[in-house]
Amino acid sequence: MAKIVNSWNDWDPLKRVIVGRCDNSMIPPEEPATSEKVPVDSEMRGMWGLRPLATVERGNECLENLVKILESRGVQVDRPTPLQWNQAIGTPDFRNDSMMTCMPPRDILLTVGNEIMASANSFRCRYFEYLAYWPLMKQYFDEDPEFKWTQAPRPRLTDASYKHNYYDEKISLEERLVRTANKDFVTTEVEPMWDAADVMRMGRDLFIQHGLTTNRTAMEWFQRYYPELRVHAVNFPGDPYPIHIDATFVPLRPGLIINNPVRQLPEEQRAIFEANDWQIVDAAQPAHDEPPALCYSSVWLSMNCLVLDPKTVIVEASEVYQQEQMDKLGMNVIPCDLRDAYPFGGGLHCSTADVYREGGCEDYFP
Ligand code: NVA
């Protein structure tokens, strides 16, 4: 039987990966954790329902562009099985009028070595999203005797999991930034809650963003679950909507990270990288002033690249400044037209989840 699941970081040679699907995607109804994360001036405020079919088809076309590039590079691609996301859901603790999507996989699945763990997301609409990946998990389980198929403790997501009326419509950007700086976020600490896209894997070290989608209790949970790894909480005070680390702090290869210039890692948290001779470089400016229509993310998806190996990276085709910078940093750049998939939950890194990269668990910060 083969070894199918293995990945310790975001840069070792990629051999197998999951790419999401846009089918049946919803703009979910407002709920305690989501409204805090939709910018006040977003056209999506107050809106919910099925995403327009033409945008779904176009998003899927973009994901196919990515699949073709990956396959042409010898990377095996697996796809999730979408559900009818417009169904209402319920648990003993909450009801929600719909689910969301199976884009992006990076938010839901965390691969650490031979384990893939489904996350403990704070959005109620994402509570059953993991089901889209269960057929793949079962396949890996049948074919790889060492594969660990795991589900993190499921949060209850009762009203006690959220601070209510935490942001009102009138809150200024400055006040949001003060709250980020004070590490004062919408979720409470009654249970671990985390999105997999807040976790940056670097061999023996996990750097986890504390923000709107991942709380402190999750960090403590991770440290106890992986006693052999070191868990570091990181914060980016320049970000008024701190959600997911992969448009903020993105490693390209051992020793090199690009950092969003408006969301700088604080001095004291840089120390571990500097002490180990890692270079932290400001990322290039995005090529766009605005995200595409009906998109939750910022223009900084420009940085959200997929590293195929320490010398090769896929960058969104219109992000010419980011491509130019990667080239100067010594990477071979493969452009991929993906921008119309952004509204479904993110860029190239978001749209994927690692299954197999070569290499083992190295200590990059001895
Ligand atoms: N908070 C991020 C999402 C990254 C995938 C951004 O919009 O910049």
Side-chain angles (χ1 to χ4, degrees):
M1 289 218 272
K3 187 156 179 56
I4 290 184
V5 177
N6 180 69
S7 177
W8 287 100
N9 57 50
D10 272 320
W11 58 77
D12 273 338
L14 183 67
K15 297 292 165 194
R16 188 163 178 165
V17 74
I18 297 170
V19 173
R21 285 190 193 276
C22 302
D23 308 63
N24 312 332
S25 288
M26 299 285 296
I27 295 174
E30 203 167 302
E31 51 168 292
T34 58
S35 53
E36 277 67 18
K37 296 163 199 168
V38 181
V40 181
D41 54 358
S42 168
E43 81 274 34
M44 295 168 78
R45 275 214 164 249
M47 176 193 267
W48 80 278
L50 275 169
R51 283 181 178 267
L53 186 59
T55 66
V56 170
E57 287 172 351
R58 177 67 192 127
N60 274 336
E61 219 173 85
C62 287
L63 294 172
E64 289 302 329
N65 294 336
L66 174 59
V67 170
K68 282 198 197 100
I69 289 172
L70 289 164
E71 289 180 342
S72 74
R73 296 264 157 176
V75 180
Q76 187 172 342
V77 178
D78 294 331
R79 310 299 298 273
T81 307
L83 276 68
Q84 285 298 340
W85 302 115
N86 59 347
Q87 295 175 81
I89 54 167
T91 73
D93 293 306
F94 67 83
R95 295 272 179 278
N96 215 50
D97 284 333
S98 90
M99 297 178 274
M100 193 160 98
T101 180
C102 52
M103 263 289 288
R106 192 66 68 175
D107 300 357
I108 304 295
L109 300 177
L110 179 70
T111 312
V112 177
N114 62 350
E115 176 170 19
I116 301 181
M117 187 188 302
S119 52
N121 310 80
S122 59
F123 284 23
R124 290 171 175 170
C125 60
R126 306 196 78 174
Y127 199 78
F128 290 112
E129 206 167 309
Y130 72 97
L131 292 173
Y133 304 101
W134 252 218
L136 290 175
M137 296 302 116
K138 175 62 164 62
Q139 184 191 335
Y140 304 157
F141 188 77
D142 287 342
E143 294 173 10
D144 178 351
E146 288 170 25
F147 171 50
K148 286 171 72 178
W149 176 5
T150 313
Q151 169 67 65
R154 308 240 58 203
R156 295 188 68 168
L157 307 183
T158 70
D159 286 350
S161 296
Y162 313 101
K163 297 176 195 166
H164 296 273
N165 302 318
Y166 177 68
Y167 292 129
D168 68 25
E169 300 278 329
K170 293 179 213 76
I171 190 171
S172 65
L173 197 64
E174 289 69 34
E175 176 59 18
R176 280 181 187 264
L177 289 169
V178 168
R179 290 188 185 185
T180 303
N182 292 340
K183 300 173 190 163
D184 177 9
F185 300 116
V186 66
T187 45
T188 63
E189 298 293 341
V190 298
E191 56 189 348
M193 285 176 269
W194 55 277
D195 279 13
D198 281 317
V199 183
M200 188 175 73
R201 305 161 306 130
M202 295 185 136
R204 273 205 62 190
D205 294 85
L206 298 178
F207 293 86
I208 308 182
Q209 175 172 236
H210 178 209
L212 292 169
T213 38
T214 294
N215 65 5
R216 299 294 300 200
T217 310
M219 314 266 176
E220 175 61 27
W221 180 83
F222 268 109
Q223 190 59 80
R224 291 191 207 178
Y225 187 78
Y226 290 120
E228 70 285 12
L229 304 184
R230 291 175 295 233
V231 173
H232 312 265
V234 285
N235 301 87
F236 300 92
D239 189 354
Y241 303 96
I243 303 170
H244 306 162
I245 198 166
D246 51 354
T248 298
F249 203 59
V250 175
L252 297 183
R253 58 177 182 249
L256 181 63
I257 299 187
I258 52 171
N259 189 183
N260 186 317
V262 293
R263 305 175 188 166
Q264 292 283 316
L265 186 68
E267 211 45 59
E268 67 278 9
Q269 295 178 20
R270 282 176 176 250
I272 184 170
F273 295 97
E274 285 164 358
N276 289 279
D277 294 326
W278 282 63
Q279 209 188 340
I280 301 178
V281 177
D282 278 359
Q285 285 298 310
H288 301 269
D289 296 332
E290 296 279 340
L294 302 181
C295 181
Y296 284 110
S297 306
S298 72
V299 290
W300 290 101
L301 287 181
S302 53
M303 301 174 58
N304 191 267
C305 57
L306 183 65
V307 176
L308 294 189
D309 64 54
K311 289 198 165 114
T312 316
V313 62
I314 310 182
V315 180
E316 207 289 318
S318 64
E319 293 297 347
V320 287
Y321 306 122
Q322 193 54 77
Q323 290 177 31
E324 198 179 285
Q325 180 188 39
M326 299 282 195
D327 182 67
K328 286 198 182 124
L329 289 169
M331 305 291 288
N332 297 315
V333 177
I334 307 169
C336 174
D337 171 17
L338 194 96
R339 187 167 155 86
D340 291 330
Y342 285 6
F344 296 87
L348 287 149
H349 188 256
C350 301
S351 302
T352 60
D354 282 26
V355 179
Y356 195 96
R357 287 184 190 263
E358 288 173 1
C361 180
E362 304 291 332
D363 188 350
Y364 299 99
F365 304 97

